[in-house]
Amino acid sequence: MVLLSKHGISGVNMRAVAREAGVALGLVNYYYQDKMSLIRAALKRVDEDDIALVKPDAATPPRERLLEALRRVADPDLLTTPYLALRLQLWALAQANEDFAAINDEAFERYVDGLAALIGSAKPDLSPKECRKRADDIVVIQNGMWLTALLGLNRASTERSIRRTEEIALAP
Amino acid sequence: MVLLSKHGISGVNMRAVAREAGVALGLVNYYYQDKMSLIRAALKRVDEDDIALVKPDAATPPRERLLEALRRVADPDLLTTPYLALRLQLWALAQANEDFAAINDEAFERYVDGLAALIGSAKPDLSPKECRKRADDIVVIQNGMWLTALLGLNRASTERSIRRTEEIALAP
DNA sequence: TCTAGTCTTGAACAGATGTTCAATCTCAAC
DNA sequence: GTTGAGATTGAACATCTGTTCAAGACTAGA
């Protein structure tokens, strides 16, 4: 029932959410104590989705897992304007609100940790510190891809950027 | 008189702007026809600032100019939370409003063009197409730096990212 | 000093928005 | 069939927000 209708700014008002969900106004306040609670739920959901990107099936070999994770961020399903716009709105919201910022920070931390762990298992000879360093650098490029995609990043540039993240991750 | 007090979402209401500027409510509507006009003015101002980053003094030699432009995006003055948050808010706004999106797109285009031109003059043997390609890739990393800085990018990672943009720009 | 033009003010209005609440509906357990 | 707890509804309320406007303040030229 959540997450949709974010086609506007913080123009997500309770009435619009209710309309989008096909329920009455009162019901939204029945399930979510606050408007804050509602947005917090949406934020948490998006954050969990992001973290899921670096926590895949343990069946595949480490190297494959890492490469898959690096490719997945540029999945056409994810790199769509609606999804990115939603992400951007939530990031912007987090900037204005301490509570949301904390949730976001924690999710970001978990994401980088997950990425560093993937690198670690793909290249066991690297020190944890070096893994973390590489994860930091990769996240910069990934965030750049996401943001630039909103401004019309072409597919070729995306491909080159992904290759760059692969090079960083798998450098000797 | 503009640009300030963006500590909130689109919680920039006319009354808050007036208070921040130390004037009466009516005056804001006297100078800006609309709330839209006000935000548009702020957006244009930030966009112009960005473009100025790649249009520096013609006195310095091309190579220096390029390197300086690449370094300037990570200037501690620019990479501050308030400024980045403002940028993020405006980007988010642009996503929700066609009018703003057009202004943003045009500024982005001009920025990449400016960067490509800088690369072209620093490395005259490159084709314009190759320059543009490199500019595209650099912008991805720069946007990533900006966005990640909001989530607590450490200085060391910023330095490495800048070095990466330099390598892309100056690759043979 | 008078005047005309611009700047500045804050009250007033209409509409939107978050939240509350009494009333109604649903449906499983007895 | 009755009961009762939870689900669902929409009207009502208080507050906030964009916009308008009549009135006053300021300034420079005659």
Side-chain angles (χ1 to χ4, degrees), chain A residues 15 22-27 30-31:
Chain A
R15 269 162 256 260
V23 298
L25 169 62
L27 199 57
Y30 180 76
Y31 279 108

Side-chain angles (χ1 to χ4, degrees), chain B residues 15 22-27 30-31:
Chain B
R15 268 160 257 258
V23 298
L25 169 63
L27 200 56
Y30 180 77
Y31 280 108

Side-chain angles (χ1 to χ4, degrees), chain B:
Chain B
M1 162 181 167
V2 225
L3 265 209
L4 335 139
S5 109
K6 314 282 184 178
H7 58 323
I9 343 156
S10 195
V12 261
N13 56 66
M14 303 305 251
R15 268 160 257 258
V17 171
R19 207 179 317 122
E20 186 78 19
V23 298
L25 169 63
L27 200 56
V28 182
N29 278 289
Y30 180 77
Y31 280 108
Y32 299 97
Q33 193 187 13
D34 255 342
K35 188 188 179 181
M36 282 266 224
S37 307
L38 187 144
I39 296 176
R40 199 180 299 126
L43 177 58
K44 277 187 177 163
R45 186 149 151 184
V46 173
D47 279 347
E48 290 306 322
D49 285 353
D50 285 352
I51 291 170
L53 287 177
V54 290
K55 278 278 164 58
D57 42 332
T60 44
R63 193 192 149 91
E64 295 305 316
R65 256 196 292 168
L66 173 58
L67 288 177
E68 203 186 329
L70 292 180
R71 293 227 148 255
R72 201 152 21 181
V73 299
D75 191 308
D77 283 345
L78 239 92
L79 227 53
T80 57
T81 317
Y83 179 78
L84 293 173
L86 169 62
R87 251 249 141 274
L88 191 60
Q89 300 296 340
L90 291 174
W91 267 328
L93 249 155
Q95 276 309 309
N97 181 299
E98 269 189 49
D99 200 9
F100 299 157
I103 297 174
N104 242 353
D105 283 355
E106 196 223 321
F108 178 68
E109 202 65 36
R110 278 211 284 158
Y111 180 83
V112 181
D113 280 349
L115 189 54
L118 276 175
I119 296 175
S121 53
K123 293 192 71 74
D125 45 322
L126 291 180
S127 73
K129 212 171 165 187
E130 175 64 23
C131 289
R132 175 67 194 217
K133 214 160 88 174
R134 293 185 183 195
D136 279 345
D137 289 4
I138 288 171
V139 166
V140 170
I141 297 181
Q142 288 183 337
N143 278 340
M145 278 193 290
W146 286 17
L147 187 53
T148 318
L150 277 174
L151 296 156
L153 180 63
N154 52 63
R155 189 70 208 173
S157 181
T158 307
E159 282 301 328
R160 288 195 301 275
S161 295
I162 292 179
R163 193 135 342 117
R164 221 179 303 278
T165 62
E166 291 174 356
E167 280 164 16
I168 295 174
L170 298 176

Side-chain angles (χ1 to χ4, degrees), chain A residues 10-29:
Chain A
S10 197
V12 262
N13 56 65
M14 303 304 252
R15 269 162 256 260
V17 171
R19 207 179 316 120
E20 189 79 11
V23 298
L25 169 62
L27 199 57
V28 181
N29 277 288

